[in-house]
Amino acid sequence: MTIDWQKEVDARKDALLEDLQNLLRINSERDDSKVTSDAPFGPGPVAGLKHMLAYGERDGFVVKNVDNYAGHIEYGEGDETLGIFGHMDVVPAGDGWDTDPYEPVIKDGKIFARGSSDDKGPSMAAYYALRIIKDLGVPLSKKVRFVVGSDEESGWGDMDYYFKHEEKPDFGFSPDAEFPIINGEKGNVTIRLTFKGGNGVDYQLISFKSGLRENMVPGTATAIVTAASADDAASLTASFETFIKEEQKISGHAELSDQTVTFHVVGKGAHGASPQSGINAATFLATFLNNYSFAEGAYSFINTLAEFVHEDFYGEKLGTAFEDEKMGKLTMNAGIVNFDPANPENSLVTLNFRYPKGTSAEELQEKVQKTVGENVTATQGGRNQEPHYVPADDPLVETLLQVYEDHTGQKGHEQIIGGGTYGRLLKRGVAYGAMFPGYTDTMHQANEFMALDDLFRATAIYADAIYRLAK
């Protein structure tokens, strides 16, 4: 059977775009303060999940909602199941947007909105690919299950719950990365640094706040400091203004009120898997404050950030640097940076490591603890995802690369990334698109976008891939 997949996509462009815009209007950020039994990650993620599943019901698929944690849209019959994994939750919009992040805007051939490239746009491309298969009545020998998640950007509690109630597909892909393919993903673990209470005499750190998520480079940072005198506070403010002028990578300002100075720093947000692509506002602010005499917990907090974390994208200062020939270098991102002397349990720095095979979360924790010393406590926080790899000669990888080559005329090749996708949920699972080589990465950043041509081209590739894998 010969099918012009791009022609089929072109016939559905308007419908695809309308459905995507409606989905992007949903603020599906996780909000733990509003968790209920019906909204396990807050109202936003479940709204996105239900909206996506409603498309499946509208279009005549078999649909199942698994207690508002996750769900699936299913087509076909067979002893084997091809899984496609997308997610409706998004990271917080943050600051710096030129438009409303939850009112999609189409400009210069791109659609701007939070989630446009991670992962609502690619998920919609994969969904419409499956819809084309169904519309054409293409005979399949395998079942195809499009699994929709709602907690990919946080703890993956959606998939933990889903797979307690549903069988895992036999193989599959996640449209949540880039082409030609991602068949390897580094390990992913967060080491949390906690600090004792206490402050200084000459200068006191009243608060320090930066970061929205562990897997985002903090684009802004704010700190409040009191000095021993109004003159010292004025001198501190003047020094900060000089610091900002000299540092070409950041901007910022200080507000002086008697003996209190409030500092604001603006860097550049980025995906935590590529911390070198961002400018961590928190660590820059810490390098400035490290020139002044703080004490106890405040000193440990500032000094640790300035001496061991600032621009240490590969763990060299922390003593955790590691590289594997196939998977590349370990990376580290300081995502959440907070200091609260009144509540020491809230004073922490999260170090999110993406590590290759050959090291382990336990080894990283031990090395970090040795480096930061006894006044700081290093513990593992949350899930540890070990490195994942599907060999290049696996039929899944070979088929997906062939589809990519046939549609683009470009040679396919394996890739390994620091980002973690749902592809790693399956032993034979990979990430596949929807971003093409040379794309501008705006995931987890302000003014996130997806090029419409890429959206439609990816849809055709997904349709052909589903057909070849399940026919």
Side-chain angles (χ1 to χ4, degrees), residues 333-353:
N333 175 59
I336 299 175
V337 182
N338 287 329
F339 185 78
D340 182 356
N343 300 287
E345 66 275 9
N346 295 332
S347 299
L348 82 162
V349 174
T350 64
L351 305 178
N352 183 233
F353 289 90

Side-chain angles (χ1 to χ4, degrees), residues 174-447:
S174 175
D176 191 18
E178 60 190 62
F179 291 116
I181 201 168
I182 303 297
N183 58 314
E185 299 180 10
K186 295 177 186 177
N188 185 343
V189 68
T190 294
I191 306 297
R192 296 188 177 186
L193 306 182
T194 53
F195 305 84
K196 298 177 182 178
N199 229 306
V201 177
D202 294 339
Y203 298 93
Q204 292 200 7
L205 184 60
I206 304 305
S207 70
F208 192 117
K209 295 182 179 180
S210 182
L212 298 170
R213 290 283 175 84
E214 296 173 0
N215 59 354
M216 298 175 70
V217 176
T220 61
T222 302
I224 301 175
V225 174
T226 59
S229 69
D231 287 343
D232 287 342
S235 176
L236 185 63
T237 302
S239 295
F240 181 73
E241 292 173 353
T242 300
F243 172 75
I244 290 296
K245 290 179 182 178
E246 292 176 348
E247 287 289 349
Q248 300 297 313
K249 295 180 180 180
I250 59 173
S251 61
H253 67 279
E255 300 165 2
L256 175 63
S257 177
D258 194 25
Q259 293 175 237
T260 300
V261 186
T262 301
F263 301 97
H264 301 276
V265 172
V266 178
K268 178 187 176 185
H271 197 300
S274 303
Q276 67 277 14
S277 300
I279 300 172
N280 194 314
T283 67
F284 272 91
L285 180 52
T287 61
F288 169 76
L289 295 176
N290 197 43
N291 295 311
Y292 295 88
S293 55
F294 294 87
E296 300 183 68
Y299 168 79
S300 296
F301 175 83
I302 292 169
N303 185 255
T304 297
L305 285 169
E307 298 295 330
F308 305 125
V309 180
H310 180 56
E311 296 196 312
D312 187 31
F313 310 124
Y314 305 106
E316 293 163 349
K317 299 176 187 176
L318 277 168
T320 58
F322 188 84
E323 184 173 3
D324 171 74
E325 183 178 354
K326 182 176 285 291
M327 288 195 156
K329 291 183 177 182
L330 168 151
T331 62
M332 184 278 297
N333 175 59
I336 299 175
V337 182
N338 287 329
F339 185 78
D340 182 356
N343 300 287
E345 66 275 9
N346 295 332
S347 299
L348 82 162
V349 174
T350 64
L351 305 178
N352 183 233
F353 289 90
R354 309 300 172 104
Y355 63 96
K357 61 181 181 179
T359 186
S360 67
E362 291 72 25
E363 186 175 354
L364 294 175
Q365 180 185 343
E366 291 175 4
K367 289 180 176 179
V368 169
Q369 184 65 75
K370 181 179 180 181
T371 298
V372 298
E374 60 183 12
N375 291 326
V376 182
T377 302
T379 58
Q380 282 189 44
R383 171 193 295 266
N384 171 35
Q385 297 176 327
E386 296 183 351
H388 172 75
Y389 180 71
V390 180
D393 59 359
D394 186 288
L396 169 66
V397 176
E398 291 181 334
T399 299
L400 293 177
L401 286 178
Q402 188 61 57
V403 173
Y404 171 81
E405 292 178 4
D406 290 346
H407 281 260
T408 66
Q410 299 175 1
K411 181 65 177 176
H413 55 86
E414 70 171 355
Q415 293 186 108
I416 296 169
I417 61 169
T421 76
Y422 281 154
R424 70 191 306 144
L425 288 165
L426 307 179
K427 184 176 181 180
R428 294 182 63 221
V430 300
Y432 190 54
M435 304 303 149
F436 289 86
Y439 76 100
T440 300
D441 184 2
T442 56
M443 293 182 183
H444 295 201
Q445 300 178 39
N447 300 315

